[in-house]
Amino acid sequence: MKIIAVIPARYEASRFPGKLMEILADETVIFTTYTNTLETGLFQDVFVATDSKVIFEEITSKGGRAIMTGSHETGSDRIAEAIKEIDCDIVVNIQGDEPFIRRKPLEDLISVFVADTEKEISLASLRIPITEKEEIENPNCVKVITDNNGFALYFSRSVIPFIRETHSETQYFRHIGVYAYRKDALLEFANLPMQPLEISEKIECIRYLEYGKKIKMVETSFSGVGIDTPKDLERARALYLAKNRYR
């Protein structure tokens, strides 16, 4: 089973344009993410998929591998174009603004497909328990609810589930935007038109649910630091310095 990683990267992010080219410590956010993905040792190949010449040159000028794509609404659509002619079985999508990605959560995602000998699961992703009211109510924090077997029922920027019974022990989960797909499922995804719920929520994996596909959610302790705002970048810089201070 050949497993590759692809990091979708666009320069003009709507909330924080140019964030991937910001300096985290001594390297850009995108090159730090690329390097950390390589260093997991899990993948036969790692690519950055981008429509930005600036990002393409940032990766390739430092010896990395990058693929130029057209313009796309979602990272999954971008990756689908990039991997169309690449020989692989499983594709792991790592967000370009997740520079602290680690080996363990990626191993856990890959293990879903190793165990799925009947090839019934086309997509797997990560979730982490959350408890802070501010995070639960934050629309930048995508929440996910699952069935009893860990398959996603729905993703939303709204508070889900809504707790009507105040004594309920229902747990909230944040969706971590790291995905693993079977190649054929990803190529099929890219040929499916967006539907109203995906368009409304701006959450790409809803497209799979709207077309009746199964998404296996893997619980993790990895929270990462997704960089969506300048404030997130400052937090990421502080964390990076703390992690490397005593190396």
Side-chain angles (χ1 to χ4, degrees):
M1 186 162 61
K2 183 175 180 180
I3 304 169
I4 68 170
V6 183
I7 304 166
R10 64 184 182 127
Y11 189 87
E12 295 297 337
S14 57
R15 283 173 287 177
F16 188 1
K19 66 181 181 179
L20 297 183
M21 291 299 295
E22 293 284 344
I23 300 299
L24 185 58
D26 52 358
E27 292 287 1
T28 58
V29 171
I30 185 61
F31 193 73
T32 302
T33 303
Y34 178 81
T35 301
N36 287 347
T37 303
L38 275 176
E39 289 178 351
T40 65
L42 292 171
F43 306 107
Q44 282 93 328
D45 277 311
V46 178
F47 301 92
V48 170
T50 184
D51 58 1
S52 164
K53 290 183 179 179
V54 172
I55 292 174
F56 181 88
E57 290 173 5
E58 165 68 4
I59 300 300
T60 57
S61 67
K62 295 176 178 177
R65 307 191 72 181
I67 299 169
M68 284 293 294
T69 71
S71 178
H72 292 284
E73 285 287 326
T74 75
S76 295
D77 290 305
R78 186 180 306 284
I79 292 173
E81 179 190 341
I83 60 94
K84 194 174 295 184
E85 304 302 325
I86 294 176
D87 177 30
C88 61
D89 300 294
I90 304 298
V91 183
V92 178
N93 171 352
I94 296 164
Q95 303 298 318
D97 62 355
E98 283 282 2
F100 298 103
I101 193 65
R102 306 197 306 261
R103 180 184 174 97
K104 180 62 166 62
L106 299 177
E107 278 185 315
D108 291 343
L109 278 183
I110 292 168
S111 70
V112 169
F113 297 97
V114 173
D116 182 31
T117 56
E118 300 300 316
K119 297 185 178 181
E120 295 177 338
I121 299 171
S122 58
L123 171 64
S125 193
L126 300 173
R127 64 173 181 164
I128 185 171
I130 54 174
T131 57
E132 296 295 327
K133 185 174 185 290
E134 181 180 357
E135 185 173 18
I136 292 167
E137 295 179 350
N138 183 351
N140 290 327
C141 171
V142 174
K143 277 70 67 176
V144 59
I145 52 176
T146 65
D147 66 16
N148 291 335
N149 295 313
F151 288 98
L153 292 172
Y154 193 60
F155 301 83
S156 184
R157 298 183 183 279
S158 297
V159 178
I160 55 171
F162 175 80
I163 306 299
R164 182 166 184 169
E165 173 52 64
T166 56
H167 298 294
S168 170
E169 295 182 0
T170 299
Q171 174 69 65
Y172 289 97
F173 287 92
R174 175 187 173 194
H175 176 221
I176 305 295
V178 179
Y179 307 94
Y181 329 76
R182 294 193 187 279
K183 179 183 177 180
D184 56 354
L186 177 58
L187 295 178
E188 181 184 0
F189 169 91
N191 288 321
L192 298 172
M194 286 188 185
Q195 295 295 304
L197 291 176
E198 179 190 2
I199 294 169
S200 176
E201 295 264 18
K202 287 291 185 183
I203 301 171
E204 62 194 77
C205 50
I206 290 178
R207 192 184 314 177
Y208 279 93
L209 299 182
E210 290 186 276
Y211 284 97
K213 307 295 185 182
K214 284 188 171 183
I215 304 176
K216 180 70 173 180
M217 301 303 299
V218 178
E219 190 167 335
T220 182
S221 60
F222 169 76
S223 58
V225 181
I227 300 172
D228 293 317
T229 66
K231 185 176 179 181
D232 293 334
L233 178 61
E234 292 307 314
R235 190 159 57 95
R237 284 172 173 159
L239 180 58
Y240 187 89
L241 290 173
K243 284 178 175 292
N244 290 276
R245 185 168 296 156
Y246 300 110
R247 283 188 174 183

